[in-house]
Amino acid sequence: MISRGIQDAYELSPVQAGMLFHAQLNPGTGVYVVQLWTRLSGALDQAAFREAWAWAAARHPALRTAFVHESVSRPLQVVHREVQVPLQVLDWTGAEEDEVQRRVDALLREDRARGFDLSAPPLLRLWLARLSGDEHLLVWSMHHLVLDGWSYTTLFREVLARYDAQIRGADFDPPAPRPYRDFIGWLRTRDQAAAEAFWRQALEGVAEPTPLGIDTGPQGGEGPAFGGHNRYLSPETTAALHQAARARRVTLATLVQGAWALVLSRYAGRGDVVFGWTGSGRPESLPGAERMCGLFVNTLPARVRVPEDAALEPWLRALQDAQLAAREHEHTPLVDVQGWTEVPRGRPLFESILAFENFPRIEGAAAGTGGLTVGAMRGAGSTGYPLTLVVHPGERMHLRAYPDRARIGAAAAERLLGHLQTALEAMAAAPADAPLREIDILTPGERTALLGPWAGQARPYPALPVHRLVEEHAASSPDRIAVTAADGTLTYGELDARANRLAHHLAARGVRPGEIVGVALDRSAARVVALLGVMKAGAAYLPLDASYPRDRLAFLLDDAGAR
């Protein structure tokens, strides 16, 4: 029986259940704690602002929801009848801009360390810091279990509209939205067998996560990143991307997904990549879903094959078709999807997440804000994955990267955003039939640094294979340095001689032209010798990572037919 202070209780969505599990597994890390902050300019009535938030909490069950997992057969979300929204007023009047930023950083760190007691609603906190007579900073902390990005935008719009009505002495009491419980009921109607068949086919052969290829090791600082890295594209570039998407008859989201698939493919050195794709999760078949507050988003795998000879426009169209097919099953629990793949239990299905946030933001001066001008909304959070990318279109497309600093350094994250921007620009400018190999991801600065005085100068590629070119250099300039590595330096003469000896050794061991030879060596001069020696023997080399499990290496050798 539900107690007097409780209005309702029901089960969790699969996404909520997964988040609750990870939050309990990683206490004190701030995982799934979302923090937002923005400037509010204009005369602000604190009492009316506080009342607007109280009204919103009474209106939306999500703001009165707690989570119970002890002494129950399965976790439940419990909706309380009443809650007090904590709003703390701070006086930062006269603080310089750098001091304000230091105080915000300190507040966010303390808030993340504090976390939330998931059994005690509301799972949000507010701070209103006064900077001057008509300037305030709003800081908003919440747990992702109760609200997603679409929800907090909807919620903040309603709060501002209620505040505006309070200021004008007008009425504002729109019809109550559908409760989140209705979404939980809708989930029970999904066809699990059809979802399993779809995901098994879509992910057939996927046995490990796609490596990011940019891991730089621990960078110091605070474990997983919360602040993130930002890059804004110009209005002209953003308009060009919209135009390119229309011309290719795909959505802007598809263009972004294709750009990330291409960058990840180049990073990983693979033509078949898997990453997480976060969808809005608001079902069109559930009337009123767009006005509901709660956690609807779900992150599921996007598998993209990136053949270098594929023409750009047909490839993007096929990618969009795959997206539409996956939407029919976007509410499948990720834990179930992973269980239907060959990825070993305990390893993630993907290491990067891409979210395309195509919902309106609240920025600038607008009617219904009580005379307030709302600044750009900043955010921080952690998903528990090594890399999270968030893209918001807007007038200036906004690219954000949230890396796990224990694995990816700040410089690598900044380069990644540059590569993603370059890929987007190249896709917008390329002809429809351009092969993917011609879509460059190097920034102009990187290209100049790599090629130096030869940047932009096209030269015919030699017709000879690389081992014959080395032989020519060995004959004409035997004493010139050919390889410099941690294990030593080799001249062209030494390199060619050692490669010849290895080629004779391989032939003596029975290697014949056309066969495949496995090469399991780290980056070194010895590896260059090995690759050239295999080619001189007339064989092809199969690069192997010696750190892979033995059964995985055995599978690769057997699959390639290497003796």
Side-chain angles (χ1 to χ4, degrees):
M1 186 176 74
I2 296 178
S3 67
R4 182 173 300 177
I6 303 299
Q7 179 180 350
D8 202 358
Y10 45 92
E11 65 190 76
L12 280 62
S13 72
V15 178
Q16 285 179 310
M19 280 191 182
L20 179 62
F21 174 77
H22 284 115
Q24 293 170 328
L25 197 64
N26 301 281
T29 63
V31 65
Y32 296 122
V33 172
V34 179
Q35 298 169 313
L36 306 168
W37 60 98
T38 187
R39 296 285 184 109
L40 301 177
S41 302
L44 189 145
D45 185 323
Q46 293 182 6
F49 195 70
R50 191 183 296 272
E51 189 279 338
W53 281 97
W55 169 85
R59 173 176 167 80
H60 291 287
L63 300 189
R64 292 177 276 115
T65 295
F67 296 84
V68 176
H69 60 89
E70 296 179 351
S71 303
V72 289
S73 58
R74 64 178 184 274
L76 295 174
Q77 48 189 326
V78 178
V79 181
H80 290 236
R81 295 187 183 278
E82 295 180 356
V83 296
Q84 294 293 324
V85 178
L87 193 160
Q88 184 178 352
V89 178
L90 307 171
D91 187 2
W92 292 355
T93 305
E96 298 292 336
E97 197 63 37
D98 57 348
E99 175 60 23
V100 169
Q101 189 59 54
R102 280 195 293 270
R103 293 182 184 185
V104 171
D105 291 343
L107 190 155
L108 296 178
R109 282 195 300 271
E110 181 182 349
D111 175 66
R112 286 195 298 271
R114 176 182 174 187
F116 284 96
D117 177 357
L118 299 180
S119 65
L123 300 184
L124 81 159
R125 292 186 284 266
L126 301 168
W127 292 265
L128 194 60
R130 181 178 180 180
L131 306 179
S132 65
D134 59 356
E135 190 88 5
H136 289 77
L137 182 72
L138 174 66
V139 181
W140 177 2
S141 175
M142 63 184 174
H143 203 285
H144 205 2
L145 272 167
V146 293
L147 294 174
D148 57 19
W150 187 299
S151 295
Y152 64 65
T153 300
T154 298
L155 179 63
F156 195 33
R157 283 183 176 276
E158 290 185 353
V159 166
L160 290 174
R162 176 71 177 189
Y163 171 79
D164 178 73
Q166 289 282 100
I167 294 299
R168 294 185 294 105
D171 292 329
F172 179 75
D173 199 12
R178 295 188 70 163
Y180 187 67
R181 160 187 271 281
D182 289 1
F183 173 64
I184 300 297
W186 179 87
L187 287 174
R188 298 194 193 102
T189 67
R190 309 309 295 159
D191 187 342
Q192 183 77 352
E196 179 177 353
F198 172 83
W199 288 114
R200 282 190 183 278
Q201 181 180 16
L203 299 171
E204 184 179 6
V206 175
E208 61 184 1
T210 303
L212 294 176
I214 55 172
D215 297 56
T216 52
Q219 300 298 306
E222 54 166 354
F226 288 89
H229 302 263
N230 298 275
R231 179 170 293 233
Y232 289 87
L233 276 57
S234 69
E236 294 76 19
T237 298
T238 303
L241 291 172
H242 280 277
Q243 175 59 33
R246 287 192 295 269
R248 307 197 193 295
R249 295 190 294 250
V250 297
T251 64
L252 188 60
T254 299
L255 196 66
V256 169
Q257 193 179 68
W260 174 238
L262 186 66
V263 172
L264 182 59
S265 173
R266 302 279 174 82
Y267 279 10
R270 298 184 179 184
D272 186 357
V273 298
V274 179
F275 55 90
W277 174 252
T278 300
S280 71
R282 291 174 184 264
E284 296 178 0
S285 59
L286 181 63
E290 72 282 353
R291 294 173 51 239
M292 296 167 65
C293 281
L295 179 65
F296 291 85
V297 297
N298 194 11
T299 300
L300 289 170
R303 184 183 191 179
V304 184
R305 292 175 174 86
V306 191
E308 289 290 286
D309 58 347
L312 176 61
E313 187 169 306
W315 178 72
L316 286 172
R317 297 250 193 91
L319 180 56
Q320 180 158 284
D321 290 342
Q323 268 185 317
L324 291 174
R327 283 196 63 182
E328 293 295 317
H329 309 284
E330 67 176 333
H331 295 95
T332 312
L334 179 58
V335 65
D336 290 346
V337 174
Q338 177 151 352
W340 299 328
T341 70
E342 301 170 30
V343 177
R345 185 176 297 276
R347 296 196 70 188
L349 182 53
F350 42 78
E351 294 202 319
S352 63
I353 292 177
L354 176 62
F356 186 81
E357 295 187 344
N358 192 20
F359 49 82
R361 292 186 175 183
I362 315 161
E363 295 178 7
T369 59
L372 296 175
T373 298
V374 181
M377 184 73 75
R378 305 293 183 182
S382 171
T383 63
Y385 284 90
L387 176 66
T388 300
L389 289 169
V390 180
V391 178
H392 191 283
E395 184 179 345
R396 298 181 62 193
M397 182 177 283
H398 182 192
L399 312 178
R400 286 179 285 166
Y402 297 99
D404 180 344
R405 291 198 185 108
R407 289 185 52 176
I408 301 170
E414 289 290 345
R415 281 196 302 273
L416 180 147
L417 290 180
H419 293 155
L420 181 57
Q421 177 180 348
T422 303
L424 285 166
E425 293 171 346
M427 283 185 171
D433 59 352
L436 295 183
R437 72 168 68 88
E438 294 182 3
I439 306 298
D440 198 2
I441 71 169
L442 291 180
T443 65
E446 287 175 323
R447 180 162 292 280
T448 299
L450 287 171
L451 299 180
W454 298 283
Q457 298 182 22
R459 296 188 179 186
Y461 191 81
L464 293 175
V466 64
H467 61 285
R468 297 302 179 203
L469 294 174
V470 170
E471 289 175 358
E472 287 189 354
H473 278 282
S476 62
S477 307
D479 297 325
R480 287 186 61 187
I481 299 298
V483 179
T484 299
D487 61 335
T489 299
L490 295 176
T491 64
Y492 277 102
E494 293 169 336
L495 175 61
D496 190 53
R498 288 182 58 177
N500 282 335
R501 287 198 296 272
L502 179 58
H504 289 302
H505 176 73
L506 291 173
R509 296 292 298 270
V511 173
R512 298 290 178 263
E515 291 189 329
I516 296 175
V517 177
V519 177
L521 290 169
D522 293 330
R523 291 174 63 91
S524 60
R527 183 164 73 169
V528 178
V529 171
L531 302 184
L532 291 174
V534 171
M535 287 188 283
K536 281 174 175 283
Y541 63 84
L542 173 66
L544 300 168
D545 188 335
S547 66
Y548 278 11
R550 283 184 173 273
D551 57 348
R552 178 63 177 161
L553 292 173
F555 168 79
L556 291 171
L557 291 167
D558 181 66
D559 187 58
R563 289 193 290 118

